[in-house]
mmCIF file with all atom_site columns, all heavy atoms in Angstrom:
data_model
loop_
_atom_site.group_PDB
_atom_site.id
_atom_site.type_symbol
_atom_site.label_atom_id
_atom_site.label_alt_id
_atom_site.label_comp_id
_atom_site.label_asym_id
_atom_site.label_entity_id
_atom_site.label_seq_id
_atom_site.pdbx_PDB_ins_code
_atom_site.Cartn_x
_atom_site.Cartn_y
_atom_site.Cartn_z
_atom_site.occupancy
_atom_site.B_iso_or_equiv
_atom_site.pdbx_formal_charge
_atom_site.auth_seq_id
_atom_site.auth_comp_id
_atom_site.auth_asym_id
_atom_site.auth_atom_id
_atom_site.pdbx_PDB_model_num
ATOM 1   N N   . ARG X 1 163 ? 123.912 72.708 146.732 1.00 98.00 ? 163 ARG X N   1
ATOM 2   C CA  . ARG X 1 163 ? 123.628 72.591 145.343 1.00 98.00 ? 163 ARG X CA  1
ATOM 3   C C   . ARG X 1 163 ? 124.665 73.113 144.390 1.00 98.00 ? 163 ARG X C   1
ATOM 4   O O   . ARG X 1 163 ? 125.014 72.307 143.452 1.00 98.00 ? 163 ARG X O   1
ATOM 5   C CB  . ARG X 1 163 ? 122.260 73.423 145.102 1.00 98.00 ? 163 ARG X CB  1
ATOM 6   C CG  . ARG X 1 163 ? 121.019 72.885 145.670 1.00 98.00 ? 163 ARG X CG  1
ATOM 7   C CD  . ARG X 1 163 ? 119.914 73.918 145.555 1.00 98.00 ? 163 ARG X CD  1
ATOM 8   N NE  . ARG X 1 163 ? 118.546 73.222 145.971 1.00 98.00 ? 163 ARG X NE  1
ATOM 9   C CZ  . ARG X 1 163 ? 117.518 73.837 146.193 1.00 98.00 ? 163 ARG X CZ  1
ATOM 10  N NH1 . ARG X 1 163 ? 117.546 75.133 146.095 1.00 98.00 ? 163 ARG X NH1 1
ATOM 11  N NH2 . ARG X 1 163 ? 116.333 73.252 146.525 1.00 98.00 ? 163 ARG X NH2 1
ATOM 12  N N   . SER X 1 164 ? 125.314 74.135 144.755 1.00 98.00 ? 164 SER X N   1
ATOM 13  C CA  . SER X 1 164 ? 126.392 74.663 143.965 1.00 98.00 ? 164 SER X CA  1
ATOM 14  C C   . SER X 1 164 ? 127.626 73.683 144.006 1.00 98.00 ? 164 SER X C   1
ATOM 15  O O   . SER X 1 164 ? 128.263 73.440 142.987 1.00 98.00 ? 164 SER X O   1
ATOM 16  C CB  . SER X 1 164 ? 126.750 75.991 144.441 1.00 98.00 ? 164 SER X CB  1
ATOM 17  O OG  . SER X 1 164 ? 125.785 76.966 144.137 1.00 98.00 ? 164 SER X OG  1
ATOM 18  N N   . VAL X 1 167 ? 127.082 70.846 141.558 1.00 98.00 ? 167 VAL X N   1
ATOM 19  C CA  . VAL X 1 167 ? 127.095 71.405 140.100 1.00 98.00 ? 167 VAL X CA  1
ATOM 20  C C   . VAL X 1 167 ? 128.705 71.505 139.730 1.00 98.00 ? 167 VAL X C   1
ATOM 21  O O   . VAL X 1 167 ? 128.972 71.023 138.783 1.00 98.00 ? 167 VAL X O   1
ATOM 22  C CB  . VAL X 1 167 ? 126.500 72.768 140.065 1.00 98.00 ? 167 VAL X CB  1
ATOM 23  C CG1 . VAL X 1 167 ? 126.823 73.488 138.709 1.00 98.00 ? 167 VAL X CG1 1
ATOM 24  C CG2 . VAL X 1 167 ? 124.982 72.635 140.293 1.00 98.00 ? 167 VAL X CG2 1
ATOM 25  N N   . PRO X 1 177 ? 125.070 68.277 134.127 1.00 95.00 ? 177 PRO X N   1
ATOM 26  C CA  . PRO X 1 177 ? 124.615 69.044 135.333 1.00 95.00 ? 177 PRO X CA  1
ATOM 27  C C   . PRO X 1 177 ? 123.673 68.239 136.183 1.00 95.00 ? 177 PRO X C   1
ATOM 28  O O   . PRO X 1 177 ? 122.837 67.533 135.657 1.00 95.00 ? 177 PRO X O   1
ATOM 29  C CB  . PRO X 1 177 ? 123.842 70.260 134.791 1.00 95.00 ? 177 PRO X CB  1
ATOM 30  C CG  . PRO X 1 177 ? 124.386 70.450 133.372 1.00 95.00 ? 177 PRO X CG  1
ATOM 31  C CD  . PRO X 1 177 ? 124.758 69.099 132.975 1.00 95.00 ? 177 PRO X CD  1
ATOM 32  N N   . PRO X 1 178 ? 123.703 68.321 137.457 1.00 98.00 ? 178 PRO X N   1
ATOM 33  C CA  . PRO X 1 178 ? 122.855 67.540 138.315 1.00 98.00 ? 178 PRO X CA  1
ATOM 34  C C   . PRO X 1 178 ? 121.390 67.969 138.223 1.00 98.00 ? 178 PRO X C   1
ATOM 35  O O   . PRO X 1 178 ? 121.027 69.096 137.833 1.00 98.00 ? 178 PRO X O   1
ATOM 36  C CB  . PRO X 1 178 ? 123.290 67.979 139.808 1.00 98.00 ? 178 PRO X CB  1
ATOM 37  C CG  . PRO X 1 178 ? 124.694 68.514 139.616 1.00 98.00 ? 178 PRO X CG  1
ATOM 38  C CD  . PRO X 1 178 ? 124.695 69.166 138.284 1.00 98.00 ? 178 PRO X CD  1
ATOM 39  N N   . HIS X 1 198 ? 115.168 79.183 140.381 1.00 97.00 ? 198 HIS X N   1
ATOM 40  C CA  . HIS X 1 198 ? 116.284 79.376 141.283 1.00 97.00 ? 198 HIS X CA  1
ATOM 41  C C   . HIS X 1 198 ? 117.305 78.340 141.010 1.00 97.00 ? 198 HIS X C   1
ATOM 42  O O   . HIS X 1 198 ? 118.601 78.543 140.979 1.00 97.00 ? 198 HIS X O   1
ATOM 43  C CB  . HIS X 1 198 ? 115.842 79.387 142.746 1.00 97.00 ? 198 HIS X CB  1
ATOM 44  C CG  . HIS X 1 198 ? 117.045 79.584 143.716 1.00 97.00 ? 198 HIS X CG  1
ATOM 45  N ND1 . HIS X 1 198 ? 117.717 80.793 143.726 1.00 97.00 ? 198 HIS X ND1 1
ATOM 46  C CD2 . HIS X 1 198 ? 117.548 78.803 144.717 1.00 97.00 ? 198 HIS X CD2 1
ATOM 47  C CE1 . HIS X 1 198 ? 118.683 80.659 144.507 1.00 97.00 ? 198 HIS X CE1 1
ATOM 48  N NE2 . HIS X 1 198 ? 118.615 79.662 145.251 1.00 97.00 ? 198 HIS X NE2 1
ATOM 49  N N   . GLY X 1 199 ? 116.927 77.079 140.910 1.00 97.00 ? 199 GLY X N   1
ATOM 50  C CA  . GLY X 1 199 ? 117.844 75.962 140.692 1.00 97.00 ? 199 GLY X CA  1
ATOM 51  C C   . GLY X 1 199 ? 118.539 76.063 139.363 1.00 97.00 ? 199 GLY X C   1
ATOM 52  O O   . GLY X 1 199 ? 119.744 75.806 139.205 1.00 97.00 ? 199 GLY X O   1
ATOM 53  N N   . ARG X 1 200 ? 117.859 76.497 138.433 1.00 95.00 ? 200 ARG X N   1
ATOM 54  C CA  . ARG X 1 200 ? 118.401 76.702 137.144 1.00 95.00 ? 200 ARG X CA  1
ATOM 55  C C   . ARG X 1 200 ? 119.577 77.826 137.181 1.00 95.00 ? 200 ARG X C   1
ATOM 56  O O   . ARG X 1 200 ? 120.543 77.743 136.520 1.00 95.00 ? 200 ARG X O   1
ATOM 57  C CB  . ARG X 1 200 ? 117.307 77.076 136.058 1.00 95.00 ? 200 ARG X CB  1
ATOM 58  C CG  . ARG X 1 200 ? 117.851 77.259 134.570 1.00 95.00 ? 200 ARG X CG  1
ATOM 59  C CD  . ARG X 1 200 ? 116.704 77.656 133.647 1.00 95.00 ? 200 ARG X CD  1
ATOM 60  N NE  . ARG X 1 200 ? 117.340 77.797 132.359 1.00 95.00 ? 200 ARG X NE  1
ATOM 61  C CZ  . ARG X 1 200 ? 116.846 78.655 131.360 1.00 95.00 ? 200 ARG X CZ  1
ATOM 62  N NH1 . ARG X 1 200 ? 115.706 79.296 131.671 1.00 95.00 ? 200 ARG X NH1 1
ATOM 63  N NH2 . ARG X 1 200 ? 117.477 78.559 130.194 1.00 95.00 ? 200 ARG X NH2 1
ATOM 64  N N   . SER X 1 201 ? 119.332 78.862 137.961 1.00 95.00 ? 201 SER X N   1
ATOM 65  C CA  . SER X 1 201 ? 120.238 79.928 138.090 1.00 95.00 ? 201 SER X CA  1
ATOM 66  C C   . SER X 1 201 ? 121.516 79.439 138.794 1.00 95.00 ? 201 SER X C   1
ATOM 67  O O   . SER X 1 201 ? 122.597 80.054 138.618 1.00 95.00 ? 201 SER X O   1
ATOM 68  C CB  . SER X 1 201 ? 119.730 81.094 138.926 1.00 95.00 ? 201 SER X CB  1
ATOM 69  O OG  . SER X 1 201 ? 119.563 80.818 140.258 1.00 95.00 ? 201 SER X OG  1
ATOM 70  N N   . LEU X 1 202 ? 121.475 78.278 139.515 1.00 97.00 ? 202 LEU X N   1
ATOM 71  C CA  . LEU X 1 202 ? 122.690 77.782 140.177 1.00 97.00 ? 202 LEU X CA  1
ATOM 72  C C   . LEU X 1 202 ? 123.342 76.746 139.259 1.00 97.00 ? 202 LEU X C   1
ATOM 73  O O   . LEU X 1 202 ? 124.393 76.249 139.631 1.00 97.00 ? 202 LEU X O   1
ATOM 74  C CB  . LEU X 1 202 ? 122.270 77.055 141.408 1.00 97.00 ? 202 LEU X CB  1
ATOM 75  C CG  . LEU X 1 202 ? 121.571 77.941 142.538 1.00 97.00 ? 202 LEU X CG  1
ATOM 76  C CD1 . LEU X 1 202 ? 121.079 77.141 143.723 1.00 97.00 ? 202 LEU X CD1 1
ATOM 77  C CD2 . LEU X 1 202 ? 122.625 79.003 143.053 1.00 97.00 ? 202 LEU X CD2 1
ATOM 78  N N   . GLY X 1 203 ? 122.736 76.389 138.160 1.00 95.00 ? 203 GLY X N   1
ATOM 79  C CA  . GLY X 1 203 ? 123.410 75.486 137.191 1.00 95.00 ? 203 GLY X CA  1
ATOM 80  C C   . GLY X 1 203 ? 122.845 74.110 137.217 1.00 95.00 ? 203 GLY X C   1
ATOM 81  O O   . GLY X 1 203 ? 123.334 73.153 136.542 1.00 95.00 ? 203 GLY X O   1
ATOM 82  N N   . LEU X 1 204 ? 121.804 73.899 138.030 1.00 97.00 ? 204 LEU X N   1
ATOM 83  C CA  . LEU X 1 204 ? 121.067 72.577 137.887 1.00 97.00 ? 204 LEU X CA  1
ATOM 84  C C   . LEU X 1 204 ? 120.284 72.526 136.660 1.00 97.00 ? 204 LEU X C   1
ATOM 85  O O   . LEU X 1 204 ? 119.891 73.590 136.162 1.00 97.00 ? 204 LEU X O   1
ATOM 86  C CB  . LEU X 1 204 ? 120.218 72.435 139.202 1.00 97.00 ? 204 LEU X CB  1
ATOM 87  C CG  . LEU X 1 204 ? 120.970 72.463 140.530 1.00 97.00 ? 204 LEU X CG  1
ATOM 88  C CD1 . LEU X 1 204 ? 120.022 72.733 141.661 1.00 97.00 ? 204 LEU X CD1 1
ATOM 89  C CD2 . LEU X 1 204 ? 121.561 71.126 140.894 1.00 97.00 ? 204 LEU X CD2 1
ATOM 90  N N   . LEU X 1 205 ? 120.037 71.253 136.262 1.00 96.00 ? 205 LEU X N   1
ATOM 91  C CA  . LEU X 1 205 ? 119.235 71.060 134.997 1.00 96.00 ? 205 LEU X CA  1
ATOM 92  C C   . LEU X 1 205 ? 118.248 69.951 135.090 1.00 96.00 ? 205 LEU X C   1
ATOM 93  O O   . LEU X 1 205 ? 118.689 68.809 135.231 1.00 96.00 ? 205 LEU X O   1
ATOM 94  C CB  . LEU X 1 205 ? 120.197 70.812 133.830 1.00 96.00 ? 205 LEU X CB  1
ATOM 95  C CG  . LEU X 1 205 ? 119.675 70.658 132.362 1.00 96.00 ? 205 LEU X CG  1
ATOM 96  C CD1 . LEU X 1 205 ? 118.901 71.986 132.047 1.00 96.00 ? 205 LEU X CD1 1
ATOM 97  C CD2 . LEU X 1 205 ? 120.688 70.259 131.360 1.00 96.00 ? 205 LEU X CD2 1
ATOM 98  N N   . PHE X 1 222 ? 112.990 74.679 132.742 1.00 94.00 ? 222 PHE X N   1
ATOM 99  C CA  . PHE X 1 222 ? 114.324 74.448 132.311 1.00 94.00 ? 222 PHE X CA  1
ATOM 100 C C   . PHE X 1 222 ? 114.578 74.619 130.801 1.00 94.00 ? 222 PHE X C   1
ATOM 101 O O   . PHE X 1 222 ? 115.713 74.521 130.349 1.00 94.00 ? 222 PHE X O   1
ATOM 102 C CB  . PHE X 1 222 ? 114.746 73.053 132.833 1.00 94.00 ? 222 PHE X CB  1
ATOM 103 C CG  . PHE X 1 222 ? 114.995 73.037 134.309 1.00 94.00 ? 222 PHE X CG  1
ATOM 104 C CD1 . PHE X 1 222 ? 114.013 72.596 135.122 1.00 94.00 ? 222 PHE X CD1 1
ATOM 105 C CD2 . PHE X 1 222 ? 116.178 73.556 134.810 1.00 94.00 ? 222 PHE X CD2 1
ATOM 106 C CE1 . PHE X 1 222 ? 114.302 72.520 136.538 1.00 94.00 ? 222 PHE X CE1 1
ATOM 107 C CE2 . PHE X 1 222 ? 116.369 73.597 136.110 1.00 94.00 ? 222 PHE X CE2 1
ATOM 108 C CZ  . PHE X 1 222 ? 115.451 73.012 137.004 1.00 94.00 ? 222 PHE X CZ  1
#
Side-chain angles (χ1 to χ4, degrees):
R163 288 169 170 171
S164 295
V167 168
H198 181 62
R200 185 183 179 203
S201 74
L202 294 175
L204 299 159
L205 183 62
F222 285 97

